[in-house]
């Protein structure tokens, strides 16, 4: 039974491109920072993290292949039959509707095609055509972020492709798409299996040194890295690099993607020297191709600065960051309000604070705030974040009065956008409580800390780490207020239980709280309860001293 696709015809509209996470994203080098998830802690700056779209390196290769059926670049000379053309047109139509904001139209089109292919599957037709349609529909839903529907379609797809032979046309592309979607959803074991099968298919057809292998190698390496199989991931990245070097030379721009992915993996594993080598090579490649005065060179310098920071060369990293940002500015490679540029400036501000150059870092944060307010508005999340960071910088410099003013402005702006009970508002609220504590305004600080506890208990649960953090702040305030010892001890024990559960029994935070518990047990004369905890404190203290000496 020939598969039939449904195309809805609406009044003509301009078509715009929409970037959907397929196996190729484009040749242009787009390194971007993925800031570590901002947990609700007193550490205001996130750690640096750069990443690349690992699979985009194979875009040129895939565009030349018959099996790249959805990116819209393949032409009739590739031997695309009518069915592949229908698949391409369906995908492009969905993509255009999403780009124009017509999500309902896109969903209707996807649903209509799903109902049609479901009838075929229920009738017993489970061939490559049904698999290809499900694959296209899954990519469409992925483009709109509907992971639940994507997972359902992938489950149907797995049942079908599991019974099909490897030598069927389109099988390798479908497997690559499935692997990419599973990677995006964080289901890395499933992705590894699919990429491995696709890798075997391409090896059998094109050999073990074909550039067509880059897509499965990169996707599989990424998944292996996330599952802790680092040595296997490194091996695959090196293999991808070797293939590209043999096919295109040692100074080809396509090497940037696997080199960057490998460098980021080394950083995550604490191998900063290896990472530095990767990013130095990227910088050399760009300098060779584009010369010194090019925006890509500037971005590569900032990536290298990240590796230098991980290595502990803070001052060298700062210098490299400044040089890179200056190149980007001079070449006008990015708009002044570009998100990537904003993040790089923020990271440089972090390093300046770490190096003790707080005023310099604060001036950079203030520049970020002015740009964000001008282009995004005073109440935009980016503006609020910069305002919070500036307040924390003033607090770090003991300018508590200015920190209080900025934090109250931050709270006012957030209350207008997210409301006064949203958990996100507790971040500046808790910082304000700490600031008021430093200003010796303990009663006001306690009221704010109690409110933070209540909001976070509702949002995260009473035994969650964000609640533990708020309680830790609250108990410090109450200790100075001279609250009842039994109440303070009960709160300390609650904090300790949360920290042991979430951070482990030997974390530094746990040790700090243990010392407070022991102090209050001693103060209250509870010797029998104090002694075992006191021995535990002594043991952990010795362990930390040994780590420091090493």
């Amino acid at each position: 039974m020939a598969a039939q696709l449904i195309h809805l015809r609406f009044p003509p509209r301009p078509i715009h491109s929409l970037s959907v996470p397929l196996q190729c994203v484009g040749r242009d080098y787009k390194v971007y920072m993925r800031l570590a998830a901002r947990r609700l802690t007193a550490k205001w700056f996130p750690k640096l993290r750069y990443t690349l779209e690992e699979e985009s390196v194979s875009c040129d290769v895939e565009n030349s292949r018959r099996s790249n059926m959805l990116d819209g670049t393949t032409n009739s000379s590739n031997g695309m039959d009518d069915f592949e053309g229908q698949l391409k047109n369906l995908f492009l139509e969905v993509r255009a509707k999403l780009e124009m904001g017509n999500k309902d139209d896109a969903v209707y089109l996807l649903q209509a095609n799903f109902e049609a292919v479901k009838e075929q599957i229920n009738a017993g037709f489970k061939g490559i055509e049904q698999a290809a349609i499900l694959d296209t529909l899954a990519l469409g839903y992925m483009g709109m972020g509907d992971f639940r529907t994507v997972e359902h379609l992938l489950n149907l797809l797995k049942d079908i492709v599991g019974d099909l032979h490897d030598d069927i046309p389109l099988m390798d592309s479908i497997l690559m798409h499935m692997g990419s979607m599973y990677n995006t959803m964080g289901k890395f074991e499933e992705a590894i299996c699919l990429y491995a099968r696709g890798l075997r298919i391409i090896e059998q057809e094109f050999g073990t040194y074909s550039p067509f292998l880059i897509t499965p190698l990169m996707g599989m390496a990424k998944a292996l890295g996330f599952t802790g199989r680092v040595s296997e991931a490194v091996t695959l990245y090196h293999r991808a690099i070797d293939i590209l070097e043999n096919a295109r030379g040692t100074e080809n721009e396509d090497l940037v993607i696997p080199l960057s992915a490998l460098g980021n993996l080394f950083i995550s594993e604490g191998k900063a020297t290896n990472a530095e080598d990767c990013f130095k090579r990227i910088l050399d490649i760009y300098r060779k191709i584009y010369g010194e005065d090019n925006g890509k060179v500037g971005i590569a310098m900032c990536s290298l600065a990240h590796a230098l920071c991980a290595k502990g060369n803070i001052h060298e990293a700062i210098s490299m960051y400044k040089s890179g940002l200056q190149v980007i500015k001079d070449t006008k490679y990015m708009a002044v309000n570009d998100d990537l540029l904003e993040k790089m400036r923020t990271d440089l501000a972090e390093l300046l604070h770490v190096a003790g150059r707080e005023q310099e870092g604060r001036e950079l944060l203030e520049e970020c705030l002015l740009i964000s307010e001008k282009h995004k508005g005073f109440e935009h999340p980016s503006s609020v974040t910069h305002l919070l960071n500036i307040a924390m910088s003033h607090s770090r410099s003991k300018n508590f009065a200015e920190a209080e003013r900025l934090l109250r402005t931050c709270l006012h702006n957030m209350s207008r956008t997210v409301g006064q009970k949203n958990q996100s508002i507790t971040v500046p609220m808790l910082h304000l409580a700490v600031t008021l504590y430093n200003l010796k305004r303990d009663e006001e600080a306690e009221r704010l800390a109690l409110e933070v506890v209540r909001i976070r208990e509702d949002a995260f649960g009473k035994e969650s780490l964000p609640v533990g953090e708020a309680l830790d702040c609250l108990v410090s305030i109450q200790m100075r207020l001279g609250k009842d010892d039994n109440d303070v001890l009960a709160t300390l024990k609650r904090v300790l239980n949360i920290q042991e559960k979430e951070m482990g029994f030997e974390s530094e935070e746990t040790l700090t709280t243990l010392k407070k518990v022991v102090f209050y047990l001693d103060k209250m004369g509870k010797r029998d309860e104090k002694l075992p905890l006191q021995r535990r404190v002594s043991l952990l203290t010795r362990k930390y001293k040994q780590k420091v000496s090493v």
Side-chain angles (χ1 to χ4, degrees), residues 443-459:
E443 290 81 4
E444 193 175 354
E446 183 188 27
R447 286 196 297 272
L448 282 171
L450 285 169
E451 181 64 15
V452 171
V453 171
R454 283 192 290 269
I455 294 173
R456 291 187 178 182
E457 284 179 341
D458 291 340

Side-chain angles (χ1 to χ4, degrees), residues 80-99:
M80 176 182 288
D81 60 18
D82 291 339
F83 176 61
E84 288 179 272
Q86 290 183 58
L87 287 174
K88 183 188 74 172
N89 290 335
L90 171 62
F91 177 76
L92 294 177
E93 192 170 349
V94 170
R95 189 171 71 175
K97 293 182 187 302
L98 290 175
E99 175 66 13

Side-chain angles (χ1 to χ4, degrees), residues 4-6 90 106-122 130 133-138 141 149-150 152-154 156-157 160:
Q4 297 296 319
L5 298 175
I6 298 170
L90 171 62
V107 170
Y108 185 72
L109 180 56
L110 291 168
Q111 186 62 35
N113 278 280
F114 175 70
E115 294 298 331
V117 75
K118 187 169 69 171
E119 287 184 12
Q120 297 172 14
I121 293 172
N122 291 339
Q130 286 72 35
I133 295 173
L134 288 173
D135 175 44
T136 306
L137 299 179
Y141 280 110
T149 301
V150 171
H152 173 64
L153 293 173
L154 287 176
L156 294 175
L157 255 177
I160 294 176

Side-chain angles (χ1 to χ4, degrees), residues 212-230:
F212 298 157
L213 298 171
I214 299 302
T215 292
L217 285 173
M218 295 293 292
M220 191 172 175
K222 177 181 178 179
L224 287 167
F226 276 112
T227 55
R229 296 156 67 178
V230 176

Side-chain angles (χ1 to χ4, degrees), residues 465-482:
L465 190 57
V467 170
E469 180 196 33
L471 287 171
D472 194 28
C473 174
L474 174 64
V475 78
S476 297
I477 298 168
Q478 291 180 334
M479 287 168 66
R480 197 163 74 182
L481 282 170

